[in-house]
Amino acid sequence: MILDAPLTARVAGIDPLSPTLKRVRFVPERGRFPTAAPGAHILVTLRGPERIWKNAYSLVTPPEQRDSYAIIVRRVEASRGGSHFLHDHLKPGDPVEIGPPTSLFPIASLARRHILIGGGIGLTPFLSYLPVLRARGAAFELHQYCTDDESEVFAGLLAEAGGMAMIHGRTNRRSVAGILADQPLGTHVYTCGPERLMAAVEAAAFAAGWPSGAIHKESFGSAEGGAPFTVTLARSGRTVPVSESQSLLEALETAGVEAPCLCRGGACGVCLTRVIDGAIEHRDHVLTEEERAGGRLIATCVSRARSDALVLDL
């Protein structure tokens, strides 16, 4: 179930893990947080002096932990500012608004074996998987791909997984094809990380004859900027500019438009909006090729205009 009411919280602690990674812990202002499913994420609202960011982050705390939530965030140089604000300005004691936990990346209940493949910060949803898989006595293994200089950081985060977790640095890594070959029937694979890694996992699984239902991936999309454009809202006649550093969804929110969203990464389909006119640059993971060719739906959180303007059914 998707809950709309935001949760009021404050920053309880910030732990530097590496030059670009920080773990941030939140505590509720009142009571306790809702129980989160394995692989759940929260939407964090960051309020800067001149703009607001709403970013989705995977919870890294165990699902049953309700006195606090934690996320791990990488400071990305090419970010639109959210990760910079969190790393450079957020401090313990600051109030923060977060959305209730939502899971679009659950553990397959009927799987006989689980293969978890993470890349860089894509490890985060699996940190909430691990206590659940261990408690169930499930057969699993985790493969984390990262740079050599971050191997020690990720090894520390995976210490409790013991021999079930393998770290693959750049100079010592096993191919995903080798990992997925000769796995027993009923095995499911889960992947989260850079698009290239997830595409390689999916391609290797299909090449090895895996059924599509046994392949799961979590993507927070690519809400990168692009050429500026304008959006006309057909129902009100308003025109909203979208800058080169904004997503379409962010521009709508800045203009005070009630725009639906959930994952903010083009993975859930909640933000799909009907396009009346204009050409779309699709960047989502939910529309079919036929729907994309039709040019009548846009994922406002990640996709942009290929034309100078769009007209939306809003």
Side-chain angles (χ1 to χ4, degrees), residues 22-42:
K22 284 186 175 180
R23 179 169 47 211
V24 183
R25 187 166 57 90
F26 306 111
V27 293
E29 288 287 9
R30 294 176 299 276
R32 306 181 77 192
F33 286 136
T35 300
H41 70 267
I42 55 173

Side-chain angles (χ1 to χ4, degrees), residues 2 48 56-57 95 134 162 183 185 189 204 214 219 227 241 244 250 293 297 302:
I2 298 171
Y57 299 104
R134 290 199 304 269
Q183 291 289 347
L185 190 65
V189 62
S219 173
E244 58 189 11
E250 288 171 337
L297 287 171
V302 291

Side-chain angles (χ1 to χ4, degrees), residues 31-283:
R32 306 181 77 192
F33 286 136
T35 300
H41 70 267
I42 55 173
L43 195 64
V44 180
T45 299
L46 301 169
R47 300 183 183 275
E50 297 181 355
R51 64 170 294 182
I52 296 173
W53 297 272
K54 293 185 178 182
N55 294 342
Y57 299 104
S58 295
L59 288 173
V60 299
T61 34
E64 74 278 1
Q65 186 165 324
R66 299 179 57 200
D67 59 343
S68 67
Y69 285 162
I71 60 175
I72 296 176
V73 181
R74 184 184 294 282
R75 190 184 195 280
V76 181
E77 286 305 320
S79 101
R80 300 183 319 283
S83 73
H84 290 191
F85 182 84
L86 189 147
H87 270 252
D88 300 341
H89 300 288
L90 201 66
K91 59 186 183 301
D94 282 353
V96 66
E97 182 182 294
I98 63 179
T102 302
S103 181
L104 302 172
F105 196 41
I107 298 173
S109 59
L110 298 180
R112 297 176 59 190
R113 182 174 176 79
H114 309 268
I115 308 296
L116 318 178
I117 301 178
I121 196 65
L123 172 68
T124 52
F126 299 136
L127 294 177
S128 67
Y129 273 37
L130 293 176
V132 176
L133 293 173
R134 290 199 304 269
R136 293 178 183 176
F140 75 92
E141 59 188 71
L142 186 150
H143 298 267
Q144 170 65 5
Y145 289 82
C146 59
T147 59
D148 290 337
D149 59 353
E150 287 192 330
S151 294
E152 187 174 342
V153 172
F154 290 118
L157 292 172
L158 292 169
E160 292 184 10
M164 296 298 99
M166 286 140 275
I167 307 294
H168 302 275
R170 291 196 188 281
T171 56
N172 179 28
R173 60 177 50 185
R174 187 178 172 193
S175 71
V176 294
I179 292 169
L180 298 180
D182 300 322
Q183 291 289 347
L185 190 65
T187 302
H188 284 233
V189 62
Y190 312 77
T191 183
C192 183
E195 291 294 327
R196 184 158 56 174
L197 171 67
M198 294 193 296
V201 170
E202 191 171 44
F206 281 132
W210 288 53
S212 59
I215 306 168
H216 314 274
K217 62 181 182 179
E218 170 95 306
S219 173
F220 286 109
S222 180
E224 293 136 355
F229 59 99
T230 60
V231 172
T232 298
L233 311 181
R235 300 180 198 176
S236 64
R238 291 182 62 189
T239 297
V240 176
V242 183
S243 74
E244 58 189 11
S245 63
Q246 281 181 308
S247 70
L248 171 52
L249 177 59
E250 288 171 337
L252 293 172
E253 291 173 336
T254 299
V257 178
E258 289 291 332
C261 69
L262 183 59
C263 74
R264 303 183 78 89
C268 69
V270 168
C271 73
L272 289 175
T273 301
R274 196 166 78 87
V275 177
I276 297 173
D277 190 37
I280 306 166
E281 181 184 329
H282 292 288
R283 300 179 180 181

